[in-house]
Amino acid sequence: MSSSRLGSRLAVCLLNISEARRKYIVENIAKAALEKNGRKHPEVSVLNIFSDQDYNRSVITIAASVDKLGSCVLAACLEAFRAIDMEVQEGVHPCLGAVDLIPIYPLSDVGVDECGAVARSLAKDLVLHVPGCSVFLFGEADLPKKRSLVQRRKQLGWFTRRDFSALEPDLGAAPARRCGLTDMTDANN
């Protein structure tokens, strides 16, 4: 990755999606982050894609200037929502939605507070563009509480919950069931 191509103020997102077994879907989601209006973003790179077949979960590592990262991740999330059917998704790892986790971290000349601001803006865009989207914030995105991912997972009953109707998201609608797009956004956990 060339910092001159991406800019000097860099951040990275480790986008966790609930799909690993259909490689073409994972690749299309990664490709969505790289393109705008059918053209490749020269300022964005997908650094890695890790897929776990048993978990049926992939992590797509997207790097960009802090100013461009949110829109690139939004495009990938919209593609994930379109392509992943949570009614039939199966895997060992618990998940609530097509996109489960959107941690954003600083890489170069960016503070965690800026990453938190990108995460909050992205969360608002997701609720705006995805009907029924539920967003649960943590870390620097979760102001003023700054709850950790572990705290939020405990509050949500991440590994035990079967009744989603009692969940109260920070933004968006309460999930009626395990479907659609539910994300947790972070900047420093």
Side-chain angles (χ1 to χ4, degrees):
M1 170 178 69
S2 165
S3 64
S4 63
R5 183 170 61 92
L6 296 179
S8 62
R9 294 177 26 80
L10 300 177
V12 66
C13 175
L14 279 64
L15 181 66
N16 287 244
I17 61 170
S18 297
E19 179 60 63
R21 297 176 184 153
R22 296 177 294 171
K23 185 177 179 182
Y24 71 96
I25 288 178
V26 176
E27 289 174 348
N28 284 342
I29 293 167
K31 184 179 175 184
L34 293 172
E35 294 183 352
K36 182 175 185 176
N37 301 325
R39 293 194 145 132
K40 186 167 173 32
H41 272 298
E43 313 88 19
V44 180
S45 289
V46 171
L47 302 179
N48 187 46
I49 299 174
F50 172 78
S51 297
D52 186 297
Q53 302 297 312
D54 293 329
Y55 277 25
N56 199 12
R57 185 177 182 97
S58 296
V59 179
I60 302 169
T61 305
I62 304 164
S65 71
V66 71
D67 300 325
K68 303 276 187 210
L69 187 62
S71 62
C72 299
V73 173
L74 176 63
C77 289
L78 294 175
E79 179 61 23
F81 177 68
R82 188 196 67 70
I84 299 170
D85 182 357
M86 292 305 294
E87 292 294 321
V88 298
Q89 197 275 357
E90 293 180 353
V92 176
H93 195 280
C95 61
L96 293 176
V99 173
D100 254 356
L101 189 62
I102 309 175
I104 298 173
Y105 300 100
L107 286 182
S108 173
D109 295 326
V110 175
V112 293
D113 55 334
E114 288 178 273
C115 291
V118 169
R120 285 188 301 279
S121 177
L122 175 59
K124 290 175 185 173
D125 286 342
L126 287 170
V127 169
L128 182 66
H129 289 91
V130 181
C133 177
S134 304
V135 177
F136 302 90
L137 301 171
F138 63 95
E140 291 294 320
D142 182 33
L143 296 178
K145 297 176 184 174
K146 295 188 181 182
R147 293 167 287 189
S148 71
L149 176 58
V150 172
Q151 287 174 304
R152 289 313 307 257
R153 283 185 168 170
K154 285 180 182 178
Q155 289 171 341
L156 296 171
W158 188 257
F159 294 100
T160 59
R161 181 173 299 281
R162 298 293 174 255
D163 175 19
F164 299 108
S165 63
L167 295 178
E168 294 182 27
D170 295 306
L171 296 169
R177 63 190 197 289
R178 183 180 152 250
C179 65
L181 184 111
T182 303
D183 90 288
M184 304 176 85
T185 316
D186 176 47
N188 194 30
N189 279 317

